[in-house]
Amino acid sequence: MPAKDDPVVIKKYANRRLYNTGTSTYVTLEDLAEMVKKGEEFTVQDAKTGNDITHPVLTQIIFELENKDGQNMLPIPFLRQLISFYGDQMQMVVPSFLEQSMVAFAKEQERFRDQMKNAIGKSPMDMMKITTPIKAIEEQTKRNVELFQNAMRMFTPFPPPSAQTSDDETATPDAPAERSDDLQELKEQIAAMQRKLDKMGND
């Protein structure tokens, strides 16, 4: 028997049915989504092999939710940007960036909800207090962007500007012009992300 604080094991069978070993009942993806919302920890295992398939199942839940009318949370520009990172040199740091951003948002969401409830029927001055958690989220997101930029500098194979040759020096064959173009493209991507964050802060 699993310990009290251990995640519940969900077994997925070949017929795609999901079995909750904690309640000894069959469940659906909707049930798993509700468990996530309630903060209940679980792992999903392939019933035949015992392999952990939690990640693909959670991804499938998001896919199902995104296809429900009025439930879309992931904007198209974000999806395009996310897809572009697959196979890119920055792929390894994107998960950490997204995780930190969501953690910061989660810490502020309850406070934000409470202020929204308390502000109903209040004066404009009281309503202005609602912006406090939003600003905190924006600041944390900006800090995450800075971490993302620093990570980019660590993992990029291109030399920093200080390492580039001066005007009176001859560039070596190991530093082709294409590297400069690729570095500029990465900088533009980060700049575009920063502009989006700045726009959020001004809305």
Side-chain angles (χ1 to χ4, degrees):
M1 293 293 292
K4 182 178 179 181
D5 295 332
D6 285 350
V8 174
V9 175
I10 309 294
K11 292 189 175 182
K12 186 176 183 180
Y13 291 89
N15 58 6
R16 297 186 178 182
R17 297 193 71 181
L18 298 164
Y19 184 77
N20 186 327
T21 61
T23 59
S24 300
T25 57
Y26 286 99
V27 293
T28 64
L29 290 177
E30 289 79 5
D31 295 326
L32 296 186
E34 287 301 318
M35 291 176 66
V36 171
K37 293 177 182 178
K38 293 177 182 178
E40 299 178 17
E41 294 289 336
F42 63 84
T43 60
V44 186
Q45 297 179 359
D46 185 290
K48 183 177 181 179
T49 65
N51 292 337
D52 190 322
I53 55 173
T54 307
H55 186 279
V57 170
L58 292 177
T59 305
Q60 185 179 357
I61 291 174
I62 293 176
F63 175 80
E64 296 289 340
L65 292 174
E66 283 290 311
N67 277 278
K68 288 186 177 181
D69 292 337
Q71 295 242 123
N72 307 84
M73 284 201 306
L74 303 178
I76 290 179
F78 172 80
L79 292 173
R80 292 183 186 278
Q81 186 69 63
L82 190 61
I83 291 172
S84 70
F85 281 126
Y86 282 95
D88 187 85
Q89 60 186 5
M90 297 310 301
Q91 179 176 342
M92 65 185 71
V93 298
V94 171
S96 177
F97 170 76
L98 295 178
E99 183 177 2
Q100 291 181 46
S101 297
M102 290 305 295
V103 167
F105 182 80
K107 288 180 179 179
E108 294 292 339
Q109 66 173 343
E110 289 302 324
R111 180 180 170 192
F112 177 68
R113 287 172 179 171
D114 290 341
Q115 290 195 356
M116 284 290 291
K117 292 178 182 178
N118 296 332
I120 296 178
K122 300 291 184 178
S123 66
M125 185 63 68
D126 292 326
M127 291 292 291
M128 290 179 63
K129 295 179 182 179
I130 297 177
T131 62
T132 302
I134 297 178
K135 291 296 184 182
I137 294 172
E138 291 173 355
E139 289 300 320
Q140 182 61 48
T141 304
K142 290 179 180 179
R143 286 194 293 271
N144 288 344
V145 170
E146 292 176 358
L147 292 174
F148 187 75
Q149 290 172 324
N150 291 335
M152 184 193 73
R153 297 188 186 98
M154 290 174 59
F155 288 100
T156 180
F158 312 120
S162 59
Q164 295 177 353
T165 56
S166 60
D167 294 339
D168 58 346
E169 293 179 339
T170 303
T172 64
D174 295 333
E178 288 80 357
R179 288 189 174 185
S180 178
D181 295 338
D182 290 340
L183 180 58
Q184 183 61 33
E185 182 179 351
L186 285 174
K187 289 182 177 180
E188 290 174 356
Q189 290 178 0
I190 294 297
M193 185 181 296
Q194 185 63 58
R195 287 194 295 271
K196 290 179 181 178
L197 293 173
D198 292 339
K199 184 178 180 181
M200 289 173 55
N202 294 329
D203 289 343

